[in-house]
Amino acid sequence: MRSELLDGLLAGIDESLYEPFRNKTIAVTGATGLIGSLVCKALLLADDRMGLGCVVVAVVRDDAKLSSVLQGYSELGKLEVVKCDLAEDEPSIDAADFILHAAAVTKSKVMVQCPADVALMSLRGTEAMLEIARRSGARMVYVSSMEVYGTLPDGEVADESALGWIDLTAPRSCYPESKRMCECLCSAYAAQYGVQVLSARLAQTFGAGVLPGENRAFAQFARSAMRDESIVLRTHGLSEGNYVNTIDCVAGLLTLLARGEAGLSYNIANEESHGTIRFVAELASDILGGDKCNVVIDVDESNSAGYAPDVHLHLSSARLRGLGWEPKIGLADSFAELGAYLREQD
């Protein structure tokens, strides 16, 4: 559904970031997911507002779902839909100037239950998009994750060179380890074939624009708080990481598509938006909850939901800031925007 709140926030992105896409074709995989859909909406809105003349090619498995996700946006500009399962096929894209490869499995339970499928889908899909970039000469950004860092020494501020330990025997490691391999594949294509491809390591991304079925921790925290119910943590809430607002993330990805250096990886994180899971839950309770909302620890010792192991991660975004990007929206305001957006959508 079209969102007045989201439209206003996306309109606040510096218009100069859209100029590299004037009269260009931008292919977006994972266009029904959070990141892909937001970039599609941002480009379509900018086309309507600025007359960019760009073409957005949405690569999806479910075109009916795309119609729902982009309802009210698809008619704002030129949108083409390519239906394809990247785990099995290469999408039929004749040419593209830019590619944002955002397709990925994001549900921890699936990672635990189907680790081989998750890993192979990541590798096959990334290879397919790299081949399209190679043939068409497109600039490409692979959307990676802060989970590639694994376990680092406590207190270390992580730039893009700091990679820690990942347990290769744990089924859920299929996600971060395949992300690492996909980044390596991108760098290999840049070195061997001259493909202008780079990777974006996203911190936990939330704010206005989350999708109706979003079930990650931040969305659960927000919904519980807005119902004035207890926020129940199934871990001790000690894992510590970085966050970035949805609008700041879109601006970061547009920056990288236009100006990122091939073969490199870039963190997209607000260095000030940092804390433990428990701290984030308490913040959601304070901002969105009422008197009955508190944080309850009820640990699932079997970890049936496939939660990632505890990490203590503090990301540096200096490399991306060197391209002119600066995050504008902090953690508290992200929860406020998320709450307002959920109320608007309901």
Side-chain angles (χ1 to χ4, degrees):
M1 185 176 73
R2 186 79 180 268
S3 165
E4 183 177 346
L5 172 65
L6 180 62
D7 289 3
L9 291 168
L10 289 171
I13 293 175
D14 188 341
E15 290 191 352
S16 67
L17 289 178
Y18 293 104
E19 285 300 330
F21 310 107
R22 186 172 292 280
N23 300 318
K24 303 295 185 182
T25 297
I26 308 99
V28 180
T29 72
T32 58
L34 173 61
I35 303 303
S37 66
L38 282 169
V39 172
C40 288
K41 290 173 182 177
L43 288 167
L44 291 166
L45 282 165
D47 191 15
D48 181 60
R49 188 173 67 252
M50 300 169 57
L52 283 180
C54 66
V55 179
V56 178
V57 180
V59 180
V60 295
R61 285 185 301 173
D62 186 343
D63 49 359
K65 183 178 179 182
L66 181 70
S67 297
S68 174
V69 170
L70 295 186
Q71 182 182 359
Y73 292 91
S74 56
E75 64 272 19
L76 296 176
K78 188 169 183 181
L79 176 70
E80 298 179 359
V81 181
V82 174
K83 190 174 180 180
C84 174
D85 185 344
L86 286 172
E88 300 176 359
D89 301 306
E90 181 180 303
S92 300
I93 299 175
D94 295 328
D97 300 293
F98 298 92
I99 296 171
L100 180 73
H101 180 32
V105 174
T106 58
K107 292 181 172 61
S108 286
K109 195 168 185 178
V110 177
M111 298 171 196
V112 172
Q113 293 176 342
C114 307
D117 293 344
V118 170
L120 290 171
M121 181 271 185
S122 293
L123 292 170
R124 289 168 179 163
T126 302
E127 180 188 18
M129 300 315 298
L130 283 167
E131 282 297 320
I132 292 171
R134 179 184 175 188
R135 291 197 302 269
S136 63
R139 286 183 57 85
M140 173 172 157
V141 170
Y142 169 66
V143 177
S144 188
S145 165
M146 67 180 182
E147 285 200 34
V148 301
Y149 286 101
T151 302
L152 290 168
D154 289 357
E156 180 176 332
V157 176
D159 65 14
E160 289 79 0
S161 66
L163 294 182
W165 177 77
I166 292 175
D167 180 3
L168 299 185
T169 67
R172 197 194 176 284
S173 295
C174 65
Y175 179 75
E177 195 64 25
S178 65
K179 287 286 188 183
R180 282 186 176 185
M181 188 61 223
C182 288
E183 286 195 29
C184 184
L185 193 59
C186 289
S187 296
Y189 266 71
Q192 185 171 343
Y193 302 120
V195 175
Q196 294 295 298
V197 58
L198 54 130
S199 299
R201 296 175 181 165
L202 270 57
Q204 186 76 261
T205 305
F206 77 98
V210 300
L211 300 174
E214 180 60 71
N215 200 40
R216 278 175 282 187
F218 64 81
Q220 295 182 40
F221 297 167
R223 291 191 179 101
S224 293
M226 292 170 67
R227 292 192 297 263
D228 202 16
E229 298 173 352
S230 293
I231 297 174
V232 180
L233 298 185
R234 304 309 304 276
T235 70
H236 291 287
L238 302 178
S239 195
E240 184 178 353
N242 286 90
Y243 298 82
V244 66
N245 181 271
T246 48
I247 309 304
D248 286 334
C249 182
V250 170
L253 291 170
L254 294 176
T255 300
L256 291 177
L257 278 167
R259 301 200 294 272
E261 183 177 340
L264 294 184
S265 298
Y266 292 80
N267 292 331
I268 300 184
N270 186 334
E271 293 163 344
E272 301 301 318
S273 296
H274 175 265
T276 64
I277 293 292
R278 181 164 185 165
F279 167 78
V280 172
E282 291 170 344
L283 186 63
S285 174
D286 291 342
I287 293 173
L288 299 175
D291 294 339
K292 297 178 182 178
C293 181
N294 57 2
V295 176
V296 175
I297 306 294
D298 182 16
V299 177
D300 174 13
E301 299 293 352
S302 68
N303 193 18
S304 59
Y307 296 114
D310 286 346
V311 295
H312 302 281
L313 187 60
H314 198 153
L315 295 179
S316 166
S317 59
R319 178 176 287 175
L320 178 55
R321 286 189 282 107
L323 298 179
W325 176 83
E326 288 291 341
K328 298 178 180 179
I329 306 167
L331 195 52
D333 287 339
S334 293
F335 267 118
E337 288 179 4
L338 175 59
Y341 179 79
L342 291 175
R343 284 190 289 269
E344 178 194 55
Q345 294 299 292
D346 288 344

